[in-house]
Amino acid sequence: MARRTDEAASVGGLWVGERAHYALSGGLAGHRILVRMAGKQDKAAAKAAAVTRRAERKAKRGQIFEAFKMQRREDKALLPIMIGVFLAPIVVAFVAGLFFNLQWALLPLGAILGVLLAVILFGRRVQRSVYTKAEGQPGAAGWALDNMRGRWNLTQAVAGTTQLDAVHRLIGRPGIILVAEGAPHRVKTLLAQEKKRVARVIGETPIYDVIVGNDEGQIPLRRLQQHVMKLPRNITPAQIDTLETRLAALASRGAAMPKGPLPQGAKVRNVQRTIRRR
């Protein structure tokens, strides 16, 4: 009886062991399938990302080519100047290489330098053309400030007139920069008022004021970004966020005030109570 029980146990144990082996084999196979599926998904994602990058590069090349065609139609001297700038480093490298018998070794270096200089020239002439077209247009200074690189917080048209004069507020490492555009006799008053209003909440932070224009004491639009970037760094990035919060609160308080004159007989205390209830 005991022998049969042992045989049954051994047979049962063998059956259980084989079942566990099959289950384990099935689990490993499932794991391999999941790994292969994950690998295929990764390859598909990488392939999709590569296709997206190629499409972006193609679109960028198309934009550059369209910009080149537009600039060439407006700037007849663009292509001859670019060719001259491209060939000049090649000739210089070849002639310099003749003295050391390295003219063919220096030729590729001159070609690379020529391409680089031609691209830089093209970019600057396009930029100058864009600024020339934008100069004098309402909002041109705000557009120029909005395209600046780096840590800048811009609020456009914090003050303005019905004649489309405007004062833009820029917060950066130099401090507060107020940039005005429009008729000089009007924007000077706007600039002084905004400067006085901002000075109440920023403490000892420096305030710079700029008037965009071509008259004496003004900054041309094409040099606005360069002028702002040259200002000294007076505050830290953390202080930039603090100033932005204070000025945003100041703007919200100004927006809560009722517009127009107060009614006759109204008391300021009652108006303040009404504002708090709102």
Side-chain angles (χ1 to χ4, degrees), residues 85-193:
V85 170
F86 170 71
L87 293 177
I90 296 177
V91 174
V92 171
F94 186 82
V95 173
L98 290 175
F99 292 97
F100 305 98
N101 199 22
L102 296 173
Q103 62 272 22
W104 302 114
L106 294 179
L107 198 61
L109 181 61
I112 294 174
L113 183 59
V115 171
L116 179 62
L117 292 177
V119 171
I120 293 174
L121 174 70
F122 168 69
R124 289 189 175 181
R125 292 182 78 89
V126 169
Q127 185 180 24
R128 187 178 66 178
S129 177
V130 170
Y131 278 109
T132 300
K133 291 180 181 179
E135 195 167 4
Q137 299 294 328
W143 164 78
L145 295 173
D146 195 30
N147 289 311
M148 290 184 60
R149 297 179 180 178
R151 177 71 183 278
W152 302 95
N153 292 342
L154 174 66
T155 304
Q156 297 192 26
V158 292
T161 65
T162 55
Q163 291 82 11
L164 300 181
D165 307 315
V167 175
H168 312 291
R169 185 181 67 230
L170 188 66
I171 307 176
R173 295 295 298 274
I176 308 293
I177 304 102
L178 300 176
V179 180
E181 59 177 334
H185 64 280
R186 292 193 298 261
V187 297
K188 287 182 179 179
T189 304
L190 279 177
L191 203 56
Q193 292 175 352

